[in-house]
Amino acid sequence: MNTIPHAAMDPALQLEVEQFLYAEAELLDARGFREWLGLLTEDVRYWMPTRANRSIREYALEVAGPGEMAHYDDDLGSLTTRVRRIESNQAWSEDPPSRTRRFVTNVRIKPDGSELAVRSSLLVYQHRLEREVNVFAAGRQDVLRRTHDGLRIASRKVLLDQTVVLANNISVFF
Amino acid sequence: MIDLDEHVDLERGVMSRKVFVDDDIYRLELERIFSRSWLFLAHESQLPKSGSFVSTYMGEDPVIVVRRSDGSIGAVLNSCRHRGMKVCRADVGTTRAFRCSYHGWTYGLDGDLVSVPNMAEGYRNELDMSRWGLLRVPRVESYKGLIFGTWDAEAQPVEEALGDITFLLDTFLDRRPGGTEVIGGVQKWVMGGNWKLAAEQFASDMYHSFLLHASAWQALAPEGADLSEMVFPSVGSQMTSQGSGGGWFHDPTGAGSAVLGPVLAADFTDPAVWERLGEVKAGGPIGCHATVFPNFSFLGAFRVLRVWHPRGPHEMEVWSWTLVDKDQSPEIKDAWRRFASMTFGPTGTFEQDDGEIWTDLQRVSRGHIAQTVDLNYQMGIGHEVTDHPDYPGRINHVYSDNAARGFYERWLELMKTPLRPGQRGNATARAGQEVTR
Ligand code: FES
Ligand SMILES: [Fe+2]
C-alpha cells in the first residue's frame, strides 16, 4: 500500500495560516475590499488562468500558461483599480451588492524559506438580486510572506473548476 | 407562422421584445440566419500545424475546424454519421484522426470515414464508406486571418459577403504588415440574454458606453484625474451595411487613450500604423465597436474579438479572444492581453456590467404585457447619409440607432426568405436534399 505525503504539521502554524485565510474570507464576504488590498504584498501576482477541455494525451496543457488568456492576471495596481470601480457606486454588477459566503478547506502548508506555499480549496456561494446564483469552486495556490504586519499574500493562483464560466460575470474575488 | 412585421417596424423605429423571447422566432433564426450566413469559426493562428483543431459552434451545431494534411483549413459537423455522437470532445488540440467514442467509427482530418469496427462481420463489407464521412461545411474561407464558414454552398465569397464592414475590419486586422494572431486560450461564459442583445449593442450602441460603464471609465482613468471634468466625446460616426455595423469617435486618442495608459496608447496610435491605414481610417474607425452580421463582434481600442453563440432565446454563450499584431514585441502583446481581461471578459471592469443589463432585460421581456410595449429604436431616424465622402454604407451620428436598424433590416430580410429548396438546413423542404453524401 502506498502512502501519500502528509507530514505532521506544526499545529501552531496550521492554525495560524487557517485563521489568516478565514479572516480573509470573512473580510471579502463583508465587502471589505479596500482592507483586503492591505493583505496583499506590493509585488503581489493575482492570477486566474482560463482552462480548456483537452484530451488525456494533451492534459498537461489544460490550464492556460502565463502568457495566455486569463480571467484575472492582476498586480496590486490593477486590483486597486477593480476595487476603485466597486467603490464608485456605479458598478452595476455589485449594485445592489451580492451576498457571498466563502468556504475555505483542505489547507496544506509547505514552508519555503521566509515564505509559505499554501494550497487551499475555496467554494464561493454568491446570490444577488432575485435569483442570480453562482457557485464557484476553485483550488488556490498561494505564497504567503511574513512581514512585520503579519502574514501577507505575495502570490495567488486560482484554478477555477470551470471551462465555460457558468455565470453572467465574475464580480467576486477568490 | 408568426408575422414578423407585426413585431418589427423599422420605418417607425419600433420593435417588440417578442423577438428576444419567442421560441418559434428562435428556431427560425437557426434555420434562416445561422444556416446560411458566413459565421466566424476561428483565427488561423489557432491552427498552427496539420492536425491542429478547435471545436466551435455554428449556431447550436457543433463543428470542428481543422488544419488538414495539405495545410488547408476545413470544418465538419462534430457528429458521428453512425448514431450522432460527438466525434471530438476536446475544445482544442492536435490529432491524426477523430475516433468516435461510441462504436469507434474513425474519420480522417478531412472528415472522410476511414475505419469502421467489425466491417466484415457486422456490415458484411457492404457499407459504402465514401458516403458516410462527417458532414462538411461546404464553404470555409479566410479574410485576413479570420476563418469563416457557411452551410450555403452557393454563398458569395466571404470577402464580398463581408462587404463594407471590411472597412472597419481592416483597422483591426491590417494595422501592421505581419497581420495578426490571437493570444492562446479563450474566455467562455454564459449570459442570460438573447444573442441579439449583444450583437446589436456592439453594432450600434456607443450610447451606453459612458453611462452603463461609468464605473470602469472612472476607475481606469489615470490616478488623480478630475472626474468631474470628464467630458464624453460627442463627435463621431456610425455605419451600417448588410446588417453589419459599427461606430467610432472622430478623435480616437481622446477618452479611449486615457484608459489605455501610455504604453498601449503609444502602440494604438503608432504613426506607422496611422500611415498604413491612412488618415480616414486612423482618424476614428480604428477605435470602433463593431458587429459582423450576425454574431461576431470586435472592439478596435480594446483588441477584443468575440462570438455570441445562441443558446435558446434566453441565453448566449460568449467566447472572447485578444487579438494582437504579430509584428509587435512580446511585452506589448502581453500588455494587451492583460488589458483585455481587465476590461472585457467575465471579470472585465466594463463587461461585468453588460452581463448584468442583458440578464435583467431578458427577464423583463418574458412579461406578457411587456411584450406589448414597443421598444425605441428611433435615435437619428431620418438623418442617415448614404453618400458620405469618407465612409462606406449608411452613415449617421455615433449616437444613433442607425446600425441597430440596419442589423434588424438584414435580420428581417433573411427571416422572411426561405432557404433554397435542397439547401442544407432547409427545414421545410428536406426531401429535396441529398441526405447521404
Ligand atoms: S455513434 Fe459514432 S460510432 Fe456509433
Ligand atoms: Fe458595454
Side-chain angles (χ1 to χ4, degrees):
Chain A
M1 182 113 185
N2 287 331
T3 56
I4 52 171
H6 59 287
M9 281 310 303
D10 169 359
L13 179 65
Q14 180 76 25
L15 204 62
E16 182 194 7
V17 168
E18 286 180 359
Q19 286 301 317
F20 174 77
L21 294 177
Y22 296 163
E24 186 208 2
E26 192 173 295
L27 194 58
L28 284 172
D29 286 344
R31 306 178 59 74
F33 305 117
R34 188 54 69 167
E35 286 164 272
W36 177 70
L37 292 174
L39 298 182
L40 314 175
T41 63
E42 292 282 322
D43 60 344
V44 69
R45 180 165 193 226
Y46 183 86
W47 183 35
M48 187 162 96
T50 57
R51 301 174 80 171
N53 294 300
R54 291 273 191 172
S55 72
I56 195 82
R57 215 166 22 84
E58 297 180 319
Y59 188 60
L61 302 169
E62 189 246 338
V63 178
E68 299 187 315
M69 290 298 280
H71 294 306
Y72 281 110
D73 195 347
D74 283 54
D75 55 22
L76 190 58
S78 61
L79 286 170
T80 305
T81 298
R82 292 181 186 275
V83 170
R84 205 162 54 219
R85 183 185 98 87
I86 299 172
E87 290 171 347
S88 75
N89 290 337
Q90 297 188 80
W92 314 119
S93 64
E94 279 299 323
D95 180 11
S98 301
R99 286 158 291 281
T100 61
R101 186 78 51 200
R102 288 169 174 75
F103 301 83
V104 182
T105 69
N106 305 51
V107 178
R108 304 264 287 150
I109 306 159
K110 205 165 129 212
D112 181 10
S114 62
E115 297 182 333
L116 301 167
V118 177
R119 288 167 180 268
S120 59
S121 297
L122 177 72
L123 189 73
V124 187
Y125 174 87
Q126 176 191 25
H127 181 271
R128 55 182 281 91
L129 303 173
E130 291 174 73
R131 40 198 302 174
E132 299 305 319
V133 177
N134 297 321
V135 180
F136 299 110
R140 294 190 299 192
Q141 300 169 8
D142 296 345
V143 173
L144 302 187
R145 189 180 297 159
R146 282 199 188 283
T147 71
H148 30 253
D149 300 320
L151 287 174
R152 290 293 179 266
I153 300 162
S155 152
R156 172 165 287 170
K157 179 176 175 183
V158 183
L159 286 172
L160 181 68
D161 295 323
Q162 293 181 343
T163 51
V164 179
V165 176
L166 301 177
N168 270 331
N169 50 32
I170 298 176
S171 64
V172 297
F173 296 111
F174 295 85
Chain B
M1 183 39 94
I2 190 152
D3 180 6
L4 292 166
D5 289 316
E6 227 174 79
H7 305 295
V8 182
D9 182 346
L10 295 167
E11 251 143 61
R12 286 176 49 234
V14 292
M15 232 169 67
S16 159
R17 46 200 123 184
K18 190 114 185 156
V19 303
F20 302 129
V21 297
D22 187 86
D23 286 318
D24 292 334
I25 291 179
Y26 179 73
R27 271 192 293 274
L28 203 63
E29 284 176 343
L30 292 183
E31 177 185 341
R32 296 190 177 174
I33 308 283
F34 288 95
S35 59
R36 69 168 151 206
S37 300
W38 280 102
L39 303 174
F40 173 76
L41 299 180
H43 189 282
E44 284 174 0
S45 60
Q46 291 174 269
L47 303 168
K49 56 181 189 215
S50 153
S52 299
F53 70 86
V54 290
S55 297
T56 184
Y57 288 86
M58 294 172 74
E60 297 238 30
D61 286 305
V63 296
I64 321 168
V65 191
V66 197
R67 174 86 63 180
R68 299 182 288 212
S69 327
D70 64 357
S72 65
I73 292 168
V76 288
L77 187 69
N78 186 0
S79 175
C80 183
R81 291 297 303 281
H82 178 228
R83 292 287 202 280
M85 173 61 189
K86 269 181 149 184
V87 296
C88 175
R89 300 198 293 156
D91 298 338
V92 54
T94 312
T95 192
R96 276 196 295 262
F98 298 101
R99 184 171 187 271
C100 180
S101 39
Y102 200 178
H103 312 90
W105 284 27
T106 302
Y107 304 87
L109 296 179
D110 47 10
D112 287 348
L113 180 60
V114 292
S115 116
V116 173
N118 304 102
M119 180 64 158
E121 312 88 313
Y123 290 95
R124 320 292 166 110
N125 288 321
E126 287 164 2
L127 181 74
D128 180 356
M129 286 173 52
S130 71
R131 289 167 61 83
W132 294 94
L134 295 174
L135 183 69
R136 281 196 194 150
V137 178
R139 297 278 299 284
V140 175
E141 292 172 19
S142 290
Y143 182 75
K144 299 192 178 179
L146 305 184
I147 308 162
F148 292 84
T150 175
W151 293 110
D152 181 0
E154 286 163 41
Q156 29 170 193
V158 72
E159 186 165 351
E160 265 173 52
L162 289 169
D164 290 335
I165 199 68
T166 57
F167 174 80
L168 294 184
L169 269 172
D170 287 353
T171 67
F172 190 58
L173 302 172
D174 206 1
R175 292 163 37 93
R176 290 192 167 90
T180 58
E181 65 190 14
V182 289
I183 301 280
V186 50
Q187 295 172 316
K188 299 182 179 182
W189 74 110
V190 293
M191 289 192 195
N194 185 276
W195 68 276
K196 295 189 292 303
L197 295 172
E200 165 205 312
Q201 193 218 60
F202 272 65
S204 191
D205 198 339
M206 191 73 97
Y207 189 43
H208 81 290
S209 167
F210 293 99
L211 300 155
L212 176 67
H213 299 305
S215 68
W217 289 113
Q218 287 184 20
L220 285 159
E223 199 99 42
D226 183 359
L227 298 172
S228 60
E229 297 284 282
M230 191 164 155
V231 184
F232 301 155
S234 59
V235 185
S237 300
Q238 190 193 73
M239 68 162 279
T240 181
S241 178
Q242 294 167 272
S244 300
W248 58 89
F249 293 117
H250 290 176
D251 174 15
T253 57
S257 298
V259 304
L260 286 177
V263 175
L264 295 183
D267 180 52
F268 184 58
T269 59
D270 181 352
V273 171
W274 188 284
E275 199 168 308
R276 183 176 169 84
L277 292 176
E279 198 76 32
V280 167
K281 284 180 181 161
I286 193 171
C288 70
H289 60 76
T291 288
V292 177
F293 188 90
N295 66 334
F296 172 68
S297 299
F298 63 96
L299 294 173
F302 295 86
R303 309 303 297 158
V304 156
L305 63 157
R306 68 259 314 279
V307 174
W308 320 101
H309 289 300
R311 289 292 177 270
H314 300 294
E315 193 175 280
M316 66 182 124
E317 191 170 307
V318 193
W319 293 16
S320 183
W321 297 265
T322 303
L323 188 89
V324 289
D325 293 333
K326 232 187 251 176
D327 293 345
Q328 196 44 280
S329 71
E331 294 74 32
I332 300 274
K333 288 180 187 174
D334 207 53
W336 279 117
R337 177 185 68 85
R338 291 190 51 198
F339 183 69
S341 60
M342 183 66 193
T343 49
F344 283 81
T347 60
T349 45
F350 283 82
E351 197 142 36
Q352 281 183 41
D353 293 329
D354 291 300
E356 205 67 11
I357 294 299
W358 292 327
T359 306
D360 250 7
L361 198 163
Q362 184 75 23
R363 193 154 283 147
V364 179
S365 305
R366 289 171 181 259
H368 180 70
I369 296 298
Q371 287 173 28
T372 67
V373 184
D374 284 339
L375 301 177
N376 183 304
Y377 285 80
Q378 296 177 330
M379 203 190 323
I381 200 164
H383 298 279
E384 287 86 2
V385 172
T386 49
D387 56 350
H388 194 280
D390 291 331
Y391 308 136
R394 194 174 79 203
I395 304 300
N396 208 319
H397 192 273
V398 63
Y399 295 134
S400 78
D401 291 324
N402 175 41
R405 288 189 297 270
F407 177 88
Y408 289 109
E409 281 160 20
R410 175 80 175 143
W411 179 85
L412 204 55
E413 178 194 334
L414 291 178
M415 289 288 275
K416 288 166 148 182
T417 312
L419 301 193
R420 291 188 317 276
Q423 184 181 336
R424 175 73 61 190
N426 186 336
T428 51
R430 192 157 179 272
Q433 291 176 38
E434 190 201 353
V435 175
T436 299
R437 287 194 325 163

